[in-house]
Amino acid sequence: MRQWIDACAPDDIDTEDLIAWEYAGRRIAIYNTDQGFFATDLMCTHEDQSLEDGLVMDCVIECPLHGGRFDICTGKALSAPASTDLATYPVKVHGGRVWVQI
Amino acid sequence: MARAGNTLRLGAARWINETVLWVTSLIYMEEPLHRRFTHTNHHTHTWHVGKDSQMPFDTPMGFGGWLAEISGFALLRFHMQVFVSLALRRYSQTMRMVTPEAEFPKMTRNARIMLALYALIALSPFAGLWWPIWFLAIPRVLGAPVMLLFTLIQHVELQENAPSILDSTRSFRGHWLSRFLYMNMNNHVEHHLYPNVPFHALPKLAEAVKDQVPEPDPGFVRTNWEVLGVTLRRSLGLPTKAASIRQAPHMITKGGPVQQVAKRTM
Ligand code: FES
């Protein structure tokens, strides 16, 4: 059963940035974008690389290792060498906190 | 050029990047996605034996290896084997190690299309057309040896399995012509340290980090000349210390038999 987990405060993530967050052994990236907060798997789907140091541009994250890009809202792989989509997680801001559904 | 194209970046530049990859792959005669994924793997596991899928020669290199590499025959044979394997849907262990599963059908399709194109080009003289032959033959005969001399000195004589790029990779000084032909990839340490930096910004990056990386080796001609000397002496069982280029400690011997460290993976 999926449940909402209290992840962080909205201020913990700069605008156009992300943080790495771990819950129950799962490594998740939480993003703060112009379009709101989003969450995806933290590891790139191409090779074994965390997206934590990647560049966030609008609603796109660029992997720091080979420059593969993903749509943050949908997880869709946008450009090579990334070709497999990222898993995404529902996010809501409630009571002054960011919640992720896992 | 293709190597720089592989790593060219930023929004609008992506379509140029893709076009360069496909056009140069047609001339270079390698299936483009195979080239992409082996190259990204090379950046992740640079010069690590058993992991780097773009080690083009055995190390330490002898004169036979030098000749096979610079003539381009070894590489051409490898690329043809890759085409045939992909076309027949036979994916090697290395391909499986570096390629996302979903890409294989595309690679098979590309290999079949490209093989058909090469067959058409081979038949074109029968239709009185020679230019398609020159389109492939001129770069292969005139361009490949020069390109291979450039790519040879990126890692040759340096340390396998090194945790630091500084020990496995070589930058060398560039005359304006070699910098132009090689699209600034003579700053190869810097390229491996920050592969997302576009080729035109590499000289600036090299300037910014020059106090933290080894001195570049001498220019293209001198570095290659010294490498050739080392490989010849190694094959003759003579001492292998080069005059000025960087060498990993185990590459420098007083002569005698050579213990192989890495087998070529391409
Ligand atoms: S590891 Fe992310 S693009 Fe290669």
Side-chain angles (χ1 to χ4, degrees):
Chain A
M1 238 259 302
R2 294 188 127 210
Q3 48 183 324
W4 287 100
I5 310 294
D6 180 352
C8 61
D11 293 350
D12 290 343
I13 320 174
D14 293 337
T15 315
E16 289 228 313
D17 204 357
L18 73 150
I19 59 164
W21 177 66
E22 200 165 328
Y23 182 78
R26 213 177 285 195
R27 303 177 72 195
I28 289 173
I30 308 176
Y31 308 83
N32 181 2
T33 75
D34 289 344
Q35 295 178 43
F37 289 86
F38 296 91
T40 69
D41 272 343
L42 181 66
M43 299 307 285
C44 182
T45 58
H46 172 224
E47 283 182 9
D48 212 14
Q49 171 67 41
S50 164
L51 296 171
E52 191 175 357
D53 294 326
L55 196 63
V56 177
M57 296 159 286
D58 300 327
C59 223
V60 172
I61 172 78
E62 184 178 84
C63 174
L65 190 53
H66 309 117
R69 295 179 314 147
F70 300 90
D71 185 314
I72 290 169
C73 314
T74 62
K76 193 170 170 35
L78 298 176
S79 59
S83 57
T84 306
D85 298 347
L86 280 172
T88 57
Y89 303 87
V91 178
K92 68 179 180 187
V93 180
H94 177 71
R97 304 286 298 170
V98 178
W99 299 74
V100 179
Q101 194 181 43
I102 294 177
Chain B
M1 177 171 176
R3 183 175 296 272
N6 268 346
T7 41
L8 218 161
R9 70 189 280 271
L10 288 179
R14 282 187 181 269
W15 72 267
I16 303 176
N17 183 17
E18 286 297 302
T19 311
V20 168
L21 174 68
W22 283 77
V23 172
T24 58
S25 294
L26 187 68
I27 300 170
Y28 184 62
M29 298 177 121
E30 182 177 3
E31 194 287 312
L33 300 184
H34 181 268
R35 189 165 165 218
R36 164 174 287 149
F37 289 113
T38 50
H39 192 62
T40 51
N41 161 270
H42 166 68
H43 270 274
T44 312
H45 300 288
T46 308
W47 231 235
H48 277 253
V49 180
K51 289 185 172 171
D52 185 345
S53 59
Q54 282 194 331
M55 292 185 86
F57 44 80
D58 299 349
T59 71
M61 180 182 252
F63 182 65
W66 183 90
L67 213 55
E69 170 66 5
I70 298 309
S71 65
F73 285 128
L75 192 64
L76 183 62
R77 197 180 65 179
F78 172 74
H79 288 161
M80 288 302 126
Q81 284 167 348
V82 168
F83 268 126
V84 173
S85 308
L86 288 174
L88 296 174
R89 286 206 224 112
R90 289 201 194 120
Y91 310 124
S92 68
Q93 214 183 330
T94 305
M95 288 176 191
R96 290 187 188 279
M97 179 176 82
V98 304
T99 314
E101 194 70 29
E103 298 296 293
F104 283 126
K106 293 182 214 160
M107 291 163 77
T108 291
R109 177 204 62 199
N110 297 344
R112 289 175 181 172
I113 292 174
M114 287 174 80
L115 281 176
L117 265 175
Y118 293 135
L120 274 178
I121 290 174
L123 292 173
S124 61
F126 293 105
L129 285 176
W130 278 93
W131 67 262
I133 295 281
W134 301 134
F135 173 74
L136 287 184
I138 291 173
R140 177 63 50 188
V141 175
L142 296 182
V146 179
M147 180 202 76
L148 291 163
L149 285 169
F150 274 114
T151 55
L152 170 75
I153 58 180
Q154 295 167 352
H155 305 286
V156 73
E157 292 298 307
L158 293 173
Q159 185 66 52
E160 306 87 346
N161 304 324
S164 169
I165 284 296
L166 309 189
D167 296 327
S168 63
T169 306
R170 169 182 293 107
S171 288
F172 52 96
R173 286 183 222 293
H175 178 263
W176 70 266
L177 181 64
S178 69
R179 285 201 312 265
F180 170 75
L181 287 174
Y182 197 26
M183 292 178 83
N184 293 327
M185 287 287 151
N186 57 304
N187 302 293
H188 214 66
V189 169
E190 295 78 3
H191 170 61
H192 269 271
L193 282 173
Y194 301 102
N196 283 346
V197 170
F199 72 94
H200 56 78
L202 279 172
K204 248 194 206 161
L205 172 64
E207 181 60 28
V209 299
K210 70 170 186 236
D211 296 335
Q212 299 159 59
V213 297
E215 273 266 294
D217 274 342
F220 167 76
V221 174
R222 169 93 182 268
T223 301
N224 265 295
W225 185 247
E226 288 192 24
V227 168
L228 173 59
V230 167
T231 60
L232 263 171
R233 290 199 299 276
R234 186 172 284 129
S235 289
L236 294 170
L238 299 171
T240 55
K241 170 113 183 67
S244 67
I245 60 168
R246 278 200 304 138
Q247 286 176 287
H250 74 95
M251 295 288 177
I252 303 170
T253 68
K254 294 198 162 71
V258 178
Q259 188 149 28
Q260 190 179 70
V261 177
K263 262 204 112 23
R264 56 179 303 152
T265 55
M266 63 184 295

